[in-house]
Amino acid sequence: METLPWLKPCFSLPRSPLISSPSPSTRLSTISRCQLNGNLFLPRSPRPSLILRSQYDPKFRFPSPKHTIPRRSVVASSSHGAAAYPVSGFQFGSRIRGICFYMVTAMTAIVLFVAMVVAHPFVLLFDRHRRKAHHFIAKLWAALTIAPFYEFEFEGLENLPPGDPPAVYVSNHQSFLDIYTLLTLGRCFKFISKSSVFLFPVIGWAMYFMGVIPLRRMDSRSQLDCLKRCVELVKKGASVFFFPEGTRSKDGKLGAFKKGAFSVAAKTGVPVVPITVMGTGELMPAGMEGVVNSASAKVVIHKPIEGSNADVLCKEARNVIADTLLLHGILSSIREGEGSAHVVEG
């Protein structure tokens, strides 16, 4: 007698993740027969009465046991699970924009660096301290780099000292893009940068030509030399630029200001020009230098502050910047004491 197809033995099931784990007294090896009926594995063969009925009724279908799971359900649940953590299109676009940003800035820097090399001997002869030609090239480089990626605007340009006299410029620090945006002002100020940045090809060399002041952060001797260098440059007619917070803000808060920049202003008698930068932290957040988000930036130039007391200059400059951030809804600020601003998370 011919063996019925559904009674033929199938392979044994040592363990399947689709079948619930048995109790210790049950062994899966006892399941010796199964049937593939459009679903998953069905344990044991059907009852004899159902087999006889199936021989005379062509429309008869074997019922699926309650504990089995239809295969299409498993496929559907797998597809939903794969879509539970989709790749954000916004983040993907920001990363692509970041790659394009660095490609543009590198190619632009290489081309303009040649012009800087050609002009450098003449700069050393006729404009050793201010280096207007190099700053003009840097302004062009920054403008060409950021133009395809974000818009920016300036407010309070009338507050800039007329004729570009020596001054101490200070600003809050939100992002790597702060320097790009501030370079488009076209003022001949000297930034202070980490010594390691000068080792970067082209960019570091261009910074050396511009007269950017190197600093080793954890070296107190280097910090003193940096301040002395700033005082010398200001006395010789150049301007300097400080980020008094010392580093980029990672949480959106306005950090405490260090007094180094204001000591330079107090010793040399030049004004302090506070500047508020907004929006760059959204474009390229601190710690996420590989992305460029879709946003815009704004730079507000405030009226110069003069004085001979570094503590007073520091407090006034910080209050002006904190008030501007508060006005634009970026920070929540609570006044305490004699006009000092205590900034909390916004």
Side-chain angles (χ1 to χ4, degrees), residues 1 10 22 24-25 31 33 84 90 102 112 142 152 165 180 183 189 191 215 261 266 270 294 296 308 314 318 329:
M1 180 177 179
C10 296
S25 61
I31 303 177
R33 297 178 181 274
F90 178 77
Y102 287 109
L112 294 178
F152 61 95
Y180 283 86
L183 280 174
F189 40 63
F191 284 101
L215 172 68
V270 298
S294 179
S296 60
S308 58
C314 179
R318 189 177 185 278

Side-chain angles (χ1 to χ4, degrees), residues 145-185:
T145 298
I146 65 181
F149 300 99
Y150 66 92
E151 298 179 352
F152 61 95
E153 62 173 322
F154 291 108
E155 180 182 318
L157 289 173
E158 67 278 1
N159 294 325
L160 289 172
D164 199 8
V168 175
Y169 294 82
V170 296
S171 170
N172 61 310
H173 202 7
Q174 293 186 343
S175 169
F176 177 68
L177 295 179
D178 292 345
I179 296 176
Y180 283 86
T181 307
L182 292 168
L183 280 174
T184 60
L185 275 173

